[in-house]
Amino acid sequence: MLKYKIMETNKRTAGILLHITSLPGTPGIGTMGAKAYDFVNWLEKAGQHLWQVLPIGPTGYGDSPYASFSTFAGNPLLIDLDDLVARNWATAEMIKPADYIKNEGPVDYGSVVWWKIPVLKNCAVYFMENASKEDRQKYEAFKNDESAWLNNFAIFMSIKEFYDAKANAEGVSGTASVWNAFWPKELAKCDPKATSRWAAEHVKEVEIYKVIQFFFQTQWLKLKEYANSKNVKIVGDIPIFVALDSADVWSHQELFQMDKKTGLQLKAAGVPPDYFSATGQLWGNPLYDWAAMEKTKYYWWVERIKRLMDLVDFVRIDHFRGFDEYWSIPYGEETAINGKWMPGPKKKLFDAIKKALGDLPIIAEDLGDITESVIELRDGCKFPGMKILQFAFDANEAGAEGFTNAFLPHMYPKNCVVYTGTHDNETLQGWINESPDKQLMNCASYLLGRPVDAGEAKSMANNGQLCALMVKAAYASTADMCIIPLQDVFGFGHDTRMNTPSTTGANWAWRMDENLLNDTDKANWLKQLNYYYGRV
């Protein structure tokens, strides 16, 4: 049985949330190259021992890391091209960026994909033709070790590339061009004979996708090794659901709520109407057939967790609530209103994972409408939950009994992770800028331990004092783990927000300024906070 080392429960620690795409200094998008190592060095100077990233799978429509073509594969866009040249897996001329690709500013995913994917394919061909004997052996070992997911992924992407091009040529777009609506019946059903025949007829195309994954894994494991050598652990992220347009669903249709005859989706994931949305949220992901999963002893989930644990040190599972009960929406609905709660696998899933892999360092994203049964599941598994400081200072928070909101630092259990905000929240300074006077007064009064009027609260908000005090409060909290988005460390506003849920077009694009890696004042500040609040 594999064993993964978990953090000591009495050890307080802290770190930074920053996705790889937000790193600076490389054409078009952040990569696993030199600037990633510079960031690890900055974390070390700041006394930080955690680096949390978003999901690292290959992204598709909408550019969301939470909607990937594979939960097992790595995102090719994160591959550093200079490193390929340094390894003699490409030439300098091959990786020259197009004129429209810039090293600074927000990520333009359309342009990056248009330029970088063909470059990576050319590099893969170069590798196949010029790799040294030693590198060839490493590649063959990689293919053998990862064959359980790699073969299906490479075949899926090869077929997808062909039929996406065909769909575009015929004027078909959007979801109508995915595998279960546009591919030939035998390929859509992932028929073994049909897929084997495709692989035999498209050897080079399939192999290219495998080589690119080898590039990714080689660079990722090297970066992780370096981070660990600096006493920095990587916190990975895994969505509870996977995308319909993925190798995962295509190659394991029997494990999802799909029509066995037509291959079409029966139910869709989402959340019901609530205070934030009168129609709920319709995510659209296929739902798991948990009964079918149980018959396999949850093998697919075990492999999914094992794969990510091979790449990171901690795993944050998004929408943990869905393992207790999930919101099931009939496929084709335009909103989430007509869904209903259905029972999830509950603790049976995590017992199976523990039996196969041992105790795991899992963080449960337990935000939203959380019931007692969800709390029992989280605590029964001994997983730390999440606390968000932005949720602590409602305008009506202070009552006769004082401040008692569960998201306030003095209310936390030890076994949790405190954040000022997540990738889905407004930045902390952006939240402060948008807060009503009463909320600012509550926040400032709590942090200073005395009554604060509206004028003083606004002054603290405008000069950045309130933002800094909230970061300090997170470090001072009782939570064992403290993770702060990099934007909040520097007090950046709305224009650096990573994601606004239920919107498309301007998300996941923020990139940090390269000069921040040379900032010693913030690094020293965080190191002092670590010392004062026992997170060393």
Side-chain angles (χ1 to χ4, degrees):
M1 179 172 64
L2 295 172
K3 290 286 186 179
Y4 297 95
K5 185 178 180 181
I6 61 175
M7 186 184 73
E8 301 169 30
T9 56
N10 63 346
K11 183 177 181 182
R12 288 165 61 79
T13 189
I16 298 296
L17 169 59
L18 180 79
H19 195 38
I20 303 293
T21 58
S22 295
L23 289 166
T26 47
I29 193 169
T31 73
M32 299 176 284
K35 297 304 177 183
Y37 291 80
D38 290 344
F39 183 65
V40 170
N41 293 337
W42 187 88
L43 290 173
E44 183 186 32
K45 291 177 183 176
Q48 304 301 290
H49 298 297
L50 301 172
W51 177 7
Q52 181 171 329
V53 297
L54 302 183
I56 55 176
T59 55
Y61 176 77
D63 312 310
S64 171
Y66 293 88
S68 174
F69 295 138
S70 168
T71 192
F72 293 87
N75 188 349
L77 301 182
L78 306 184
I79 293 171
D80 188 73
L81 299 178
D82 288 329
D83 179 76
L84 298 184
V85 174
R87 294 175 182 273
N88 293 318
W89 295 353
T91 67
E93 185 63 28
M94 291 170 60
I95 69 166
K96 185 178 179 181
D99 293 339
Y100 53 83
I101 298 296
K102 307 300 180 184
N103 284 13
E104 300 176 350
V107 180
D108 181 346
Y109 283 93
S111 296
V112 172
V113 170
W114 184 261
W115 160 70
K116 192 166 186 176
I117 295 301
V119 169
L120 286 168
K121 289 181 178 180
N122 289 337
C123 293
V125 173
Y126 184 89
F127 175 88
M128 288 189 287
E129 294 175 349
N130 298 282
S132 67
K133 181 179 179 180
E134 181 181 1
D135 288 339
R136 171 69 65 176
Q137 290 173 341
K138 291 179 180 178
Y139 173 56
E140 293 300 326
F142 162 76
K143 289 198 295 181
N144 182 67
D145 292 344
E146 307 299 338
S147 60
W149 64 267
L150 183 63
N151 292 334
N152 284 334
F153 170 73
I155 293 171
F156 172 83
M157 292 303 295
S158 171
I159 302 172
K160 176 178 173 58
E161 180 181 6
F162 178 86
Y163 283 102
D164 277 2
K166 188 173 188 294
N168 289 333
E170 295 179 8
V172 179
S173 61
T175 56
S177 63
V178 299
W179 58 268
N180 67 344
F182 194 72
W183 294 11
K185 185 177 180 180
E186 293 77 13
L187 290 176
K189 285 190 172 184
C190 196
D191 177 77
K193 291 183 179 179
T195 56
S196 295
R197 184 166 57 250
W198 179 277
E201 294 173 353
H202 300 81
V203 173
K204 184 176 181 180
E205 294 93 328
V206 171
E207 198 73 11
I208 283 173
Y209 281 103
K210 293 181 181 181
V211 173
I212 291 173
Q213 286 303 305
F214 174 67
F215 291 165
F216 176 91
Q217 180 149 310
T218 300
Q219 291 187 0
W220 181 269
L221 291 180
K222 181 187 176 187
L223 176 60
K224 179 180 181 293
E225 181 182 22
Y226 184 78
N228 290 169
S229 75
K230 299 293 185 178
N231 203 19
V232 173
K233 297 185 183 298
I234 306 295
V235 181
D237 196 333
I238 189 169
I240 182 175
F241 299 117
V242 294
L244 171 65
D245 195 15
S246 68
D248 309 304
V249 179
W250 171 72
S251 62
H252 292 285
Q253 295 172 45
E254 73 282 0
L255 299 179
F256 295 84
Q257 295 184 34
M258 310 287 288
D259 187 298
K260 300 302 185 287
K261 292 183 178 180
T262 64
L264 297 179
Q265 189 174 339
L266 295 174
K267 304 290 183 179
V271 289
D274 56 18
Y275 174 81
F276 298 101
S277 174
T279 59
Q281 294 183 41
L282 177 59
W283 298 334
N285 308 73
L287 293 171
Y288 299 110
D289 184 335
W290 286 117
M293 288 270 188
E294 185 176 9
K295 290 178 182 178
T296 69
K297 299 181 180 180
Y298 302 102
Y299 173 80
W300 183 86
W301 261 99
V302 169
E303 289 299 305
R304 188 184 190 197
I305 296 294
K306 177 184 178 297
R307 168 64 177 165
L308 189 55
M309 283 307 309
D310 288 339
L311 301 176
V312 302
D313 300 294
F314 293 86
V315 175
R316 172 194 177 272
I317 301 183
D318 197 48
H319 194 58
F320 185 78
R321 193 233 194 282
F323 295 111
D324 179 60
E325 289 183 312
Y326 60 90
W327 190 245
S328 176
I329 307 163
Y331 186 72
E333 290 285 327
E334 295 184 359
T335 73
I337 291 177
N338 294 323
K340 62 179 180 179
W341 289 113
M342 297 294 291
K346 304 184 187 294
K347 198 167 180 289
K348 291 185 294 184
L349 169 64
F350 296 103
D351 286 343
I353 293 172
K354 181 177 180 178
K355 183 177 180 181
L357 304 177
D359 289 315
L360 293 175
I362 288 175
I363 298 168
E365 189 273 285
D366 56 347
L367 306 174
D369 184 15
I370 302 303
T371 64
E372 285 297 322
S373 58
V374 178
I375 296 172
E376 290 175 6
L377 175 60
R378 180 200 67 200
D379 292 348
C381 295
K382 299 181 180 180
F383 296 154
M386 291 174 53
K387 300 296 182 181
I388 309 300
L389 262 183
Q390 287 186 28
F391 297 165
F393 300 103
D394 186 88
N396 300 312
E397 167 58 29
E401 299 179 353
F403 288 83
T404 57
N405 186 308
F407 288 98
L408 286 162
H410 68 278
M411 301 292 289
Y412 301 162
K414 279 175 58 63
N415 190 33
C416 72
V417 187
V418 59
Y419 297 80
T420 46
T422 73
H423 61 276
D424 281 335
N425 290 109
E426 177 61 89
T427 65
L428 186 52
Q429 187 60 48
W431 174 84
I432 290 170
N433 294 341
E434 295 174 355
S435 292
D437 288 355
K438 180 62 175 175
Q439 187 161 274
L440 290 178
M441 291 165 62
N442 281 345
C443 185
S445 298
Y446 175 87
L447 295 171
L448 293 179
R450 62 172 175 79
V452 174
D453 62 25
E456 184 180 2
K458 284 184 177 179
S459 177
M460 292 173 63
N462 292 336
N463 65 21
Q465 183 182 4
L466 205 55
C467 183
L469 284 173
M470 288 185 73
V471 172
K472 176 184 174 183
Y475 274 81
S477 75
T478 57
D480 280 337
M481 300 172 72
C482 171
I483 298 177
I484 310 295
L486 189 71
Q487 297 96 312
D488 295 351
V489 171
F490 287 90
F492 293 155
H494 173 75
D495 59 336
T496 67
R497 181 171 183 166
M498 197 62 173
N499 179 52
T500 303
S502 301
T503 68
T504 58
N507 295 319
W508 320 110
W510 178 70
R511 295 185 75 184
M512 65 184 289
D513 189 296
E514 192 168 357
N515 292 324
L516 298 183
L517 294 172
N518 300 319
D519 189 297
T520 57
D521 290 341
K522 291 297 184 182
N524 290 335
W525 176 53
L526 294 182
K527 193 170 186 177
Q528 289 173 346
L529 292 180
N530 263 9
Y531 173 76
Y532 290 136
Y533 300 113
R535 297 190 183 275
V536 297

